[in-house]
Amino acid sequence: METLIANLSTGFGAVLALEPLTILGMSFNLPMNLAYCFIGAVIGTLIGVLPGLGPVATIAMLLPATYALPPLGVLIMLSGIYYGAHYGGSTTAIIVNLPGETSSVVTCIDGYQMARRGRAGVALSTAAIGSFVAGCAGTLLLAAFAVPLAEVAFKFGPAEYFSLMVLGLIGAVVLASGSLIKAIAMIVLGLLGGIIGTDVNTGVSRYAFDIPELADGIGFVAVAMGVFGFAEVMTNLEQKEHREVFTNKVTSMFPSKDDFKRMFAPIVRGTILGSVLGILPGGGAALASFGAYSLEKKVSKNSAEFGKGAIEGVAGPESANNAAAQTSFIPLLTLGIPPNAVMALMVGAMTIHNIQPGPQVMTSNPQLFWGLIASMWIGNLMLVILNLPLIGMWVQLLKVPYRMLYPAILMFCCIGVFSVNNNSFDVLITVLFGVLGIMFIKFASEPAPLLLGFILGPMMEENLRRAMLLSRGDPTVFFTRPLSLTMLIMAAALLAIIALPQIAKRREETFVEE
């Protein structure tokens, strides 16, 4: 404990250190690292609110500008952008049913319904509080258990990752609302959509139909904007009674005592789940938010409210994705392994400044290592201070007439999708998935399993191939490795349980199709 306190003191000292700055010939001593933390938090919130942009594109654009900045300041700012985007992504998900970030897709399901019922302020407050608690807890885990937790992640090979994703997909099918057949169909459709493009191993084009733009596959942003943004707008325009964003008068702006009771356990569960999944390469915030939502739907006493505005459906996923955002730094800082695209860009930023990511950073450059961890606490505090006062402003967007709001939503969707690859074909793909999204709504099919399949499809295929290559084509590798076997047994148990007549009947009573 004394060592941990000493290390954190070193980190806070590095973040709060005064540095000379010359402005118009006048010299000032300012806490520049604190300023970089604030800049990162603000930029992250903004790009989280804007659909389609995301932290990957933003950090990639900012990398060339980081040459002239000090290494610690660069990492503090870029990490602030990353976890700040997870805060901001929930805002548009709740207000207008647009996931600003991949991990905010699940927040749309209940957060938007809360907004329609006049509880947008409560939903936004829940997201901010859950994110703050989970972010602080995730940072504490990063500080205290970085090395042992990284050792657990290091035991995961391709076979374990494949089995984990199989378990995740089966969990999504079992716990999806509505018909099991429809949920399976959505998963399969997502898996098929995820493998469109060029096979990286053989160079063979798959499902591209000789269309050059499909050679690199379909972007997740286009799919998410289509099935959530475009489809929701068109469906609301079709139904006159749903044209307004919300149907009830805005009541309270902050959670009540009963709301706090209901959100407490989901925040704890989401924080724990997100902290674990954030460590695993390929897991990250998106998988954590999907997993947390499935877990809450299973264990909550108010499971019948899910999909209709359950506060647990906001608290759990938002806590999970922010905890995962913090703990995803563990494999980067302790093993030098980037668990996701943003962490890969962070490796690039460290390389630019001649810093080799890995265990040696902790010993050779302790101020950098512990300074980055300390900045996350400060950054999370800045984010909650920034976001809570803005709740009133975001709620005012609900009062904008639909004839002005919906065209603006469609415009921002198109701009966001286009800006990812500067390709107008992506906008056409978004429109196509918007049409599919309308069909999903008509047939009462939940789109979240499709998006999960879309995310996990390429990763499942990659890990399946790696496992088979390492085992020289022996499929028993998935059953001879203890962790892999355990997860496959859990997946089989889920299928067996849901096949029981009593469970199936209770599920039908719980998840009533709208």
Side-chain angles (χ1 to χ4, degrees), residues 215-463:
D216 292 330
I218 299 175
F220 178 83
V221 172
V223 178
M225 292 299 105
V227 297
F228 279 95
F230 275 49
E232 185 67 31
V233 169
M234 295 306 171
T235 304
N236 285 346
L237 289 176
E238 183 184 37
Q239 303 172 9
K240 186 175 180 180
E241 66 274 14
H242 288 162
R243 286 182 179 176
E244 301 304 327
V245 174
F246 67 99
T247 53
N248 294 335
K249 184 178 179 182
V250 176
T251 53
S252 58
M253 295 295 294
F254 294 98
S256 64
K257 187 176 180 181
D258 181 60
D259 290 329
F260 275 110
K261 287 182 180 178
R262 289 181 59 178
M263 75 168 73
F264 177 76
I267 287 175
V268 173
R269 286 190 290 264
T271 300
I272 295 171
L273 182 64
S275 298
V276 173
L277 292 180
I279 303 168
L280 304 176
L287 187 58
S289 60
F290 275 100
Y293 189 79
S294 297
L295 177 64
E296 290 309 316
K297 190 184 282 189
K298 183 68 175 176
V299 304
S300 176
K301 297 177 181 178
N302 305 295
S303 56
E305 292 184 27
F306 277 75
K308 302 174 183 177
I311 195 169
E312 295 90 343
V314 176
E318 281 300 308
S319 302
N321 74 50
N322 278 274
Q326 308 294 326
T327 57
S328 62
F329 283 87
I330 290 176
L332 172 69
L333 294 175
T334 59
L335 296 174
I337 300 173
N340 53 48
V342 173
M343 294 299 110
L345 291 172
M346 295 285 284
V347 169
M350 295 173 78
T351 306
I352 287 173
H353 293 275
N354 297 318
I355 299 170
Q356 180 63 39
Q360 68 275 11
V361 175
M362 196 181 303
T363 53
S364 64
N365 202 337
Q367 287 194 325
L368 180 86
F369 183 90
W370 293 106
L372 178 59
I373 292 176
S375 73
M376 293 179 187
W377 264 305
I378 298 172
N380 274 287
L381 182 60
M382 286 180 176
L383 282 167
V384 78
I385 292 173
L386 279 171
N387 280 272
L388 284 177
L390 290 176
I391 288 174
M393 184 187 77
W394 297 125
V395 170
Q396 293 304 311
L397 284 175
L398 296 172
K399 299 181 180 179
V400 177
Y402 76 93
R403 64 182 181 276
M404 297 169 61
L405 183 62
Y406 287 160
I409 293 172
L410 294 178
M411 181 186 71
F412 277 114
C413 280
C414 293
I415 292 173
V417 171
F418 179 81
S419 66
V420 175
N421 296 312
N422 292 326
N423 190 347
S424 57
F425 184 79
D426 290 344
V427 180
L428 296 178
I429 292 293
T430 306
V431 174
L432 174 62
F433 275 94
V435 174
L436 287 175
I438 295 172
M439 294 173 62
F440 297 155
I441 294 172
K442 298 286 186 184
F443 290 102
S445 299
E446 187 179 321
L450 177 141
L451 295 174
L452 184 60
F454 199 90
I455 294 170
L456 294 184
M459 294 161 54
M460 282 184 69
E461 182 188 20
E462 182 182 351
N463 284 289

Side-chain angles (χ1 to χ4, degrees), residues 173-174 176-178 180 498 503-511:
V173 169
V174 171
S177 62
L180 270 178
I498 201 65
I503 301 295
K505 183 178 179 181
R506 184 177 178 184
R507 181 186 181 279
E508 290 177 2
E509 293 173 354
T510 302
F511 301 128

Side-chain angles (χ1 to χ4, degrees), residues 119-208:
R119 286 170 57 80
V122 175
L124 289 168
S125 298
T126 301
I129 294 168
S131 298
F132 174 70
V133 172
C136 290
T139 307
L140 180 62
L141 282 176
L142 175 58
F145 304 108
V147 176
L149 285 174
E151 289 176 358
V152 173
F154 202 58
K155 293 179 181 178
F156 269 68
E160 284 78 12
Y161 284 121
F162 177 79
S163 300
L164 174 64
M165 291 167 196
V166 169
L167 176 61
L169 290 177
I170 289 177
V173 169
V174 171
L175 300 173
S177 62
S179 166
L180 270 178
I181 301 298
K182 291 178 182 177
I184 293 171
M186 297 297 281
I187 286 281
V188 172
L189 185 60
L191 290 173
L192 291 175
I195 62 174
I196 291 175
T198 304
D199 186 344
V200 294
N201 292 296
T202 64
V204 175
S205 180
R206 300 183 299 188
Y207 305 111

